[in-house]
Amino acid sequence: MTVQPGESPGFLLWHTTLRWQRGIAAALAPLGLTHVQFVLLACTYWMNGQGEHPNQQALARQAGTDVKMTSQVLRTLEQKNLIAREVDPDDTRAKRLRVTDAGAELAPRAMAAVEEADARFFRPVPLADTLALLGRLARPDGTP
């Protein structure tokens, strides 16, 4: 049985993902961030706001990113003065992450830009349906 591209969930998801990523990239470009830079900055900002100062492994786990790639992107964010790495007083081999003042100013603007791009992209589908489907696909075993 030959499946036509428009009948293949994986093919449709591929094209959907590419279109969504283009929208996010366009929203973040004026702010000087790539999508992965945004994700790591936003996660660090959120975790700092919860009173956490994660190391890069904890940040990678939260963001769902590879630890080595996370380290490389954090280096760029540090060079842009958006994130600072500070020695962990409990383990001098580890570095704790903190959003700088510049990062704290940029993160909410970037988050708003991404939320606006998401709202435009997902507009054709009711929000509850979108969240239900994406939540189920992201966690097929039902874990939070």
Side-chain angles (χ1 to χ4, degrees):
M1 175 173 101
T2 303
V3 175
Q4 298 299 312
E7 299 169 346
S8 168
F11 187 77
L12 291 171
L13 180 59
W14 170 250
H15 279 274
T16 301
T17 301
L18 291 174
R19 190 169 68 80
W20 174 73
Q21 288 175 334
R22 282 191 300 270
I24 297 298
L28 291 170
L31 301 173
L33 292 173
T34 66
H35 195 173
V36 71
Q37 288 171 358
F38 161 74
V39 169
L40 295 178
L41 176 63
C43 285
T44 306
Y45 178 79
W46 181 81
M47 293 174 89
N48 285 178
Q50 300 295 308
E52 299 176 47
H53 296 281
N55 60 26
Q56 75 183 33
Q57 191 168 19
L59 178 62
R61 191 170 39 255
Q62 174 71 29
T65 53
D66 174 76
V67 175
K68 187 173 183 174
M69 185 268 300
T70 298
S71 177
Q72 293 168 345
V73 175
L74 285 172
R75 203 169 301 120
T76 300
L77 291 172
E78 192 173 28
Q79 290 167 353
K80 291 182 172 193
N81 191 36
L82 299 174
I83 286 184
R85 298 189 215 206
E86 301 169 341
V87 175
D88 183 341
D90 298 326
D91 180 359
T92 55
R93 297 167 299 166
K95 302 280 186 185
R96 295 290 173 184
L97 303 171
R98 177 184 56 80
V99 174
T100 64
D101 289 344
E105 188 274 325
L106 182 59
R109 291 191 302 128
M111 292 164 77
V114 166
E115 288 297 321
E116 186 177 314
D118 279 348
R120 274 193 312 275
F121 180 83
F122 291 109
R123 188 172 297 132
V125 180
L127 181 60
D129 294 346
T130 300
L131 293 175
L133 175 62
L134 294 176
R136 187 158 182 196
L137 291 173
R139 294 176 297 281
D141 60 356
T143 59

